[in-house]
């Protein structure tokens, strides 16, 4: 009699499959494949070969704690039947005497996550044997045209999925600084941490069966991840802190990569890591999304609006010295703000609104009761379509709100001016396969000052005023976007701004720096006053300086001056100013931002003239030298040159160095005390374990500064 078919061994061909599926950077020891693309496995039989006429091999794949055929988290499909109702398919590749190679393919809409693979062998006379073949992880597939995250450019796929390092732009629009970052999405355990993150979400905790079924949607997954990066509603990855007090955690400026953050969250039983700010939230989200296979990039918006009441107006208040005040509305203009763009189709929106989508993990405002933002179509933002999902009005205000300045005096508010172009400048991201910066402002809005830009602004404002924007309706898979109420207590702010040109200004004021503003040195600048009229002008100008946090929050002023300037017709004068290091050093925030302001008034006129400038103090960067050729599995020496830029002693100096594929873990070197202007170097030894283009990131902190940074790109060759 013919014996039944018995499986002796299964080869999941992890190494071969992972290379074909672009996951070999994660591992070659376990099967990681992408949906919509075939992968192979070999079945070795103990007693005889597979006979297609007599034997039928039935595959079963399951994901999640409650796999269900109806929900798509369980699939049953046969090798023999090509017209199976299951969207998963299998076919025979080769058939030998005692082994059979088969191909399996997940549909391009399958839920991502960890799967269990089983087979049932139905042999002659109805005998059935069942085997558990093992586990595999299924990811999104930007190489598959049928996948919602398909990106048709290989250079873009290499940059936005495969590149494990990059730059996050910080500073101000006048001084844009690249901050090197180790995304490390392919480092050991990161894929497991990303899947754990999905399982820790409120959606999974509430309804795991539905949550797992919806993991085929990049729109859904991106919202879940966005909410999980911050910890405001759950045991998310990062606690935000903008208080300048970080004694019970890390100063956000000290981080140089996502790997240490994600591993700390995982190792502590998913307790939030202290602390993050916007660029840290965005960088960690970039790591998670690239790991899961969704093309993602990090975006910086300089002069980013935070409109708390949804009227597309950012109100700023000043006193009679020119000092910016906090305000009860908490409207602010962030010096810079960082978010993500993720690439995906948007079948839930009208045609044309797929592609790059904004996702902002920084906990600013709630979206359907949860701190997340997006995905909001970049195209919809540019077009002013603020009624499209998700959270589009809030993102629109970040890049294109108007700014209204008010003078507060004697309990009264006097309107100084309305600026239609100060919000949303130099929107930046790293270039494709280059260390250069790409300016993508035109993706978000039409040119400032153009008729199109004003028309779009008015269109968005009218949609809000007419009440046509409401809580978005969605199916079971997505949460509604943030409702945007209009302010009821300040009707003046709801008036449509005029398109008429402003009144002719007779006197102008402007600040000009005389030297680059370096940390530890005096800040020298002048106030330029120009009388454009044919009459004499007597000016009284109040000047002040105060530190700012990067989210626009003002600290107390530490320098003030009063200038009396008499101008003849058509005359220009300069008023010299100096803020010494001793005056600003103890008041400086980690962000190293100083706002200088001048509020001028004429003796014969009630009109006020306001001008301000943000100064970003800079440090000398760390220098990194690679000593010799970098080769996989060969020792490599790296020299790190650092210095204390201050004219005073600094203590508690710590140098951290990391780099995916170069160091197994972040290196920490305790330097102790550095004398004034001290310059030193150390040699680090490592053994590169991955080939290709790599980056080393370094940071030095002390009791006086937290983020002196440096980087060096290095190409690692294969071992000969």
């Amino acid at each position: 009699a013919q014996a039944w078919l018995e499986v002796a061994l299964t080869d999941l061909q992890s190494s071969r499959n992972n290379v074909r599926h672009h996951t070999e950077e994660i591992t070659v020891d376990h099967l990681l494949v992408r949906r919509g693309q075939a992968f192979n496995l070999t079945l070795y039989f103990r007693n005889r070969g597979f006979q297609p006429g007599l034997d039928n091999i039935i595959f079963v794949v399951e994901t999640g704690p409650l796999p269900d055929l109806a929900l798509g988290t369980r699939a049953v499909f046969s090798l023999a039947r090509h017209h199976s109702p299951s969207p998963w398919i299998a076919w025979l590749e080769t058939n030998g005497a005692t082994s059979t190679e088969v191909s399996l393919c997940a549909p391009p809409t399958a839920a991502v996550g960890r799967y269990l693979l089983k087979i049932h062998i139905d042999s002659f006379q109805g005998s059935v044997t069942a085997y558990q073949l093992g586990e595999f992880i299924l990811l999104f597939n930007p190489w598959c045209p049928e996948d919602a995250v398909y990106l048709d450019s290989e250079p873009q796929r290499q940059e936005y999925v495969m590149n494990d390092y990059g730059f996050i732009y910080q500073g101000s629009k006048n001084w844009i600084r690249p901050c090197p970052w180790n995304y490390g999405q392919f480092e050991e355990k990161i894929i497991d941490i990303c899947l754990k993150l999905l399982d820790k979400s409120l959606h999974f905790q509430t309804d795991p069966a539905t949550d797992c079924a919806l993991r085929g949607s990049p729109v859904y997954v991106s919202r879940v991840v966005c909410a999980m990066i911050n910890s405001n509603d759950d045991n998310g990855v990062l606690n935000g802190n903008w208080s300048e007090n970080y004694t019970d955690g890390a100063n956000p400026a000290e981080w140089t990569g996502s790997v240490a953050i994600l591993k700390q969250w995982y190792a502590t039983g998913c307790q939030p890591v202290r602390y993050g700010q916007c660029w840290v939230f965005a960088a960690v989200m970039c790591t998670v999304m690239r790991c899961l296979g969704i093309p993602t990039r990090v975006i910086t918006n300089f002069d980013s609006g935070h409109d708390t009441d949804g009227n597309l107006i950012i109100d700023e208040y000043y006193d009679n010295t020119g000092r910016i005040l906090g305000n009860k509305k908490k409207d602010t203009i962030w010096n810079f703000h960082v978010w993500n763009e993720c690439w995906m189709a948007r079948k839930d929106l009208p045609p044309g609104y797929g592609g790059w989508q904004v996702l902002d993990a920084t906990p600013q405002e709630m979206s359907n009761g949860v701190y997340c933002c997006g995905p909001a179509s970049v195209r919809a933002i540019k077009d002013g379509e603020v009624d499209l999902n998700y959270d589009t009005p809030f993102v629109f205000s970040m890049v294109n709100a108007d700014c209204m300045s008010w003078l507060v005096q004697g309990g009264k508010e006097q309107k100084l001016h309305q600026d239609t172009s100060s919000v949303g400048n130099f929107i930046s991201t790293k270039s494709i396969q280059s260390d250069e910066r790409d300016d993508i402002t035109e993706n978000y809005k039409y040119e400032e000052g153009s008729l199109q830009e004003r028309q779009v602004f008015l269109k968005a404002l009218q949609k809000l005023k007419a009440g046509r924007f409401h809580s978005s309706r969605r199916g079971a898979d997505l949460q509604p976007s943030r409702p945007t109420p209009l302010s009821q207590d300040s009707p003046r702010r709801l008036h449509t701004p005029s398109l008429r040109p402003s009144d002719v200004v007779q006197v102008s004021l402007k600040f000009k720096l005389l030297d680059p503003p370096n940390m530890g040195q005096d800040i020298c600048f002048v106030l330029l006053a120009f009388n454009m009229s044919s009459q004499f002008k007597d000016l009284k100008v109040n000047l002040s300086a105060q530190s700012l946090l990067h989210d626009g929050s003002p600290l107390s002023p530490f320098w003030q001056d009063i200038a009396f300037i008499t101008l003849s017709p058509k005359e220009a004068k300069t008023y010299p100013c100096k803020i010494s290091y001793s005056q600003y050093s103890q008041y400086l925030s980690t962000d190293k931002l100083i706002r200088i302001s001048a509020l001028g008034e004429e003796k014969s006129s009630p009109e006020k003239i306001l001008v301000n400038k943000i100064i970003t103090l800079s440090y000398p960067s760390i220098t990194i030298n690679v000593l010799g050729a970098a080769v996989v599995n060969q020792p490599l020496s790296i020299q790190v040159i650092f210095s204390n830029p201050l004219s005073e002693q600094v203590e508690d100096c710590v140098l951290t160095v990391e780099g995916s594929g170069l160091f197994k873990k972040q290196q920490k070197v305790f330097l102790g005390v550095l004398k004034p202007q001290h310059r030193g170097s150390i040699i680090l030894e490592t053994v590169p374990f991955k080939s290709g283009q790599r980056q080393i990131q370094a940071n030095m902190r002390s009791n006086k500064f937290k983020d002196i940074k440096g980087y060096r790109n290095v190409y690692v060759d294969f071992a000969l």
Side-chain angles (χ1 to χ4, degrees), residues 695-713:
Q695 188 184 81
I696 303 166
Q697 301 92 8
N699 183 75
M700 185 170 72
R701 65 173 168 85
S702 73
N703 65 326
K704 296 287 185 182
F705 49 75
K706 300 300 177 187
D707 62 336
I708 295 183
K709 297 189 184 293
Y711 74 94
R712 171 55 63 95
N713 293 343

Side-chain angles (χ1 to χ4, degrees), residues 341-466:
E341 285 180 3
C342 299
W343 182 272
M344 64 189 74
R346 291 297 302 270
K347 294 180 180 177
D348 58 317
L349 300 183
Y353 292 105
W356 290 116
Q357 311 289 316
V358 170
L359 286 131
D360 188 353
T362 301
Q364 296 183 84
E365 302 290 330
M366 299 186 86
S367 179
N368 191 52
V370 177
Y371 279 97
C372 71
C373 178
S377 165
V378 173
R379 172 69 185 278
I381 295 160
K382 183 171 184 176
D383 290 348
E385 300 293 349
V386 294
D387 50 351
L388 297 182
N389 293 348
Y390 289 88
D391 309 307
T392 309
F394 187 75
V395 183
F396 183 92
S397 72
M398 289 197 291
V399 300
N400 211 13
D402 284 356
C403 181
M404 192 87 78
S405 297
W406 303 86
L407 174 65
V408 179
Q409 197 169 15
K412 295 183 179 180
E413 298 174 6
Q414 176 187 346
K415 179 179 174 181
L416 292 173
H417 65 84
Q418 181 168 343
D419 191 336
T420 63
S421 61
S422 61
V423 171
N425 292 293
F426 298 103
I427 303 175
S428 302
T429 193
K430 178 186 175 297
S431 293
I432 298 168
Q433 297 180 328
S434 160
D435 288 353
E436 298 302 310
R437 179 183 69 89
D438 261 358
D439 189 308
I440 59 169
T441 308
E442 67 176 6
N443 293 359
Y444 281 84
K445 57 183 180 179
Y446 294 98
E447 185 178 357
E448 290 288 358
S450 69
L451 181 60
Q452 267 187 310
E453 186 273 334
R454 279 294 89 186
Q455 287 174 336
V456 167
F457 180 90
L458 293 172
K459 172 183 173 183
L461 190 62
Q462 291 299 332
K463 285 196 174 210
L464 298 179
K465 285 174 64 177

Side-chain angles (χ1 to χ4, degrees), residues 181 183 197 225 229 237-238 257-258 261-262 279-289 340:
W181 195 271
Y183 296 120
L197 183 146
V225 172
I229 297 299
V237 177
L238 280 159
S258 307
I261 295 169
L262 288 166
W279 69 92
V280 188
F281 290 113
V284 174
M285 182 160 182
C286 183
T287 296
V288 174
M289 299 301 271
N340 298 102

Side-chain angles (χ1 to χ4, degrees), residues 40-216:
N40 293 11
L41 57 89
T42 304
L43 301 172
Y44 294 92
F45 303 107
R46 191 181 307 279
N47 51 343
R48 64 176 177 85
F50 169 68
Q51 298 180 31
L54 294 174
D55 308 309
N56 185 23
I57 299 178
I58 300 168
F59 292 90
V60 180
V61 291
E62 298 175 338
T63 186
L66 300 166
D68 188 305
L69 274 173
L71 291 175
T73 49
R74 184 173 192 263
V76 180
F77 52 105
S78 170
L79 186 63
R81 297 187 182 94
H82 293 286
H83 301 290
S84 167
S86 172
W88 289 71
I89 55 174
W91 63 91
L92 185 66
E93 290 285 354
T94 61
N95 194 23
T98 57
S99 66
T100 296
E101 184 176 21
V102 298
S103 287
L104 277 63
C105 188
T109 56
V112 300
R114 197 181 305 275
Y115 278 79
L116 183 63
L117 175 61
K118 299 183 284 190
I119 61 169
H120 296 165
I121 299 179
D122 186 358
S123 295
F124 73 105
Q125 296 179 345
S127 62
V128 178
T129 51
Y131 300 90
Q132 188 167 302
L133 302 185
E135 288 187 346
F136 66 93
I137 292 173
L138 188 69
L139 302 175
F140 290 101
N141 192 355
W143 285 266
C144 174
E146 289 76 35
D147 196 305
V149 302
Y150 174 63
L151 192 55
D152 64 0
S153 162
E154 181 60 21
Q156 289 189 29
R157 290 191 292 252
Q158 289 299 316
E159 181 66 50
Y160 302 133
V161 180
M162 302 301 293
N163 199 356
D164 59 8
Y165 67 87
F167 300 100
I168 302 168
Y169 295 96
Q170 300 179 350
S172 68
K173 67 181 177 185
N174 299 317
W175 190 76
I176 297 175
R177 176 174 71 109
C179 173
W181 195 271
N182 177 26
Y183 296 120
Q185 68 267 32
F186 304 131
E187 289 294 284
E188 186 179 13
K189 291 190 180 300
I190 294 299
I191 182 63
D192 298 316
I193 296 170
C194 293
L195 297 180
K196 172 65 76 173
L197 183 146
L198 295 179
D199 288 348
K200 283 291 181 178
S201 75
L202 293 178
H203 300 274
F204 182 86
Q205 301 296 322
T206 304
D207 186 354
T210 303
D211 175 75
C212 288
L214 295 170
R215 291 182 185 177

